[in-house]
């Protein structure tokens, strides 16, 4: 699977951004998608993820719950991360990732399972 993230930029605290992850490949409906954030000096952190097919199951890091929403559009082969009420600590390079996870395997995905990565998109939150 090839992934291309976009939508990053500079936004003021309290503002919003929507990240997009365009995917190409086969059987994309069977892939779960995730958004990771990396800041200098820290490990890449899973921010949010969504299960395959209908995207019924989602995960959010505690720091973004209630502010970020992940979704997927299978017809467009795209996953999204809507980020609202942005804070300075949300800044970083955001990467989208995909993992083969058909059926009810979403809850069993480990961090090391995320194998397909896109290039990152920079999010800067500053006044």
């Amino acid at each position: 699977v090839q992934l291309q993230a976009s939508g990053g930029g500079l936004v003021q605290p309290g503002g919003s951004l929507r990240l997009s992850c365009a995917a190409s490949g086969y059987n994309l409906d069977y892939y779960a998608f995730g958004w990771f954030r990396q800041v200098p000096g820290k490990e890449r952190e899973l921010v949010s993820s969504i299960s395959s097919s209908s995207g019924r199951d989602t995960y959010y890091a505690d720091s973004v719950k209630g502010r970020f929403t992940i979704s997927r559009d299978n017809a467009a082969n795209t996953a999204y991360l809507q980020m609202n009420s942005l804070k300075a600590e949300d800044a970083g390079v955001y990467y989208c990732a995909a993992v083969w996870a058909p059926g009810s395997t979403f809850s069993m995905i480990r961090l090391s399972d995320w194998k397909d990565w896109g290039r990152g998109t920079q999010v800067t939150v500053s006044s």
Side-chain angles (χ1 to χ4, degrees):
V1 176
Q2 293 185 324
L3 305 169
Q4 179 65 51
S6 62
L10 171 65
V11 63
Q12 292 184 343
S16 298
L17 282 174
R18 189 177 81 155
L19 305 184
S20 299
C21 176
S24 59
Y26 295 99
N27 298 318
L28 295 175
D29 287 6
Y30 294 109
Y31 281 81
F33 291 99
W35 286 98
F36 289 75
R37 174 175 63 220
Q38 189 161 30
V39 298
K42 293 188 177 181
E43 291 188 358
R44 200 170 290 189
E45 172 194 19
L46 176 62
V47 173
S48 182
S49 58
I50 188 167
S51 60
S52 61
S53 188
S54 67
R56 180 187 63 186
D57 298 315
T58 56
Y59 163 84
Y60 295 96
D62 288 342
S63 60
V64 307
K65 282 181 181 177
R67 299 186 298 119
F68 289 13
T69 303
I70 192 170
S71 62
R72 62 187 294 157
D73 182 343
N74 292 336
N77 292 334
T78 302
Y80 303 97
L81 185 67
Q82 178 67 43
M83 306 187 295
N84 297 330
S85 303
L86 281 161
K87 304 176 182 179
E89 51 264 42
D90 295 322
V93 179
Y94 281 72
Y95 297 87
C96 64
V99 59
W100 177 264
S104 57
T105 59
F106 180 71
S107 61
M108 295 183 283
I109 298 173
R110 300 165 298 179
L111 289 178
S112 58
D113 291 330
W114 297 93
K115 301 295 186 185
D116 297 303
W117 294 88
R119 298 175 72 174
T121 184
Q122 178 74 48
V123 172
T124 303
V125 184
S126 175
S127 55

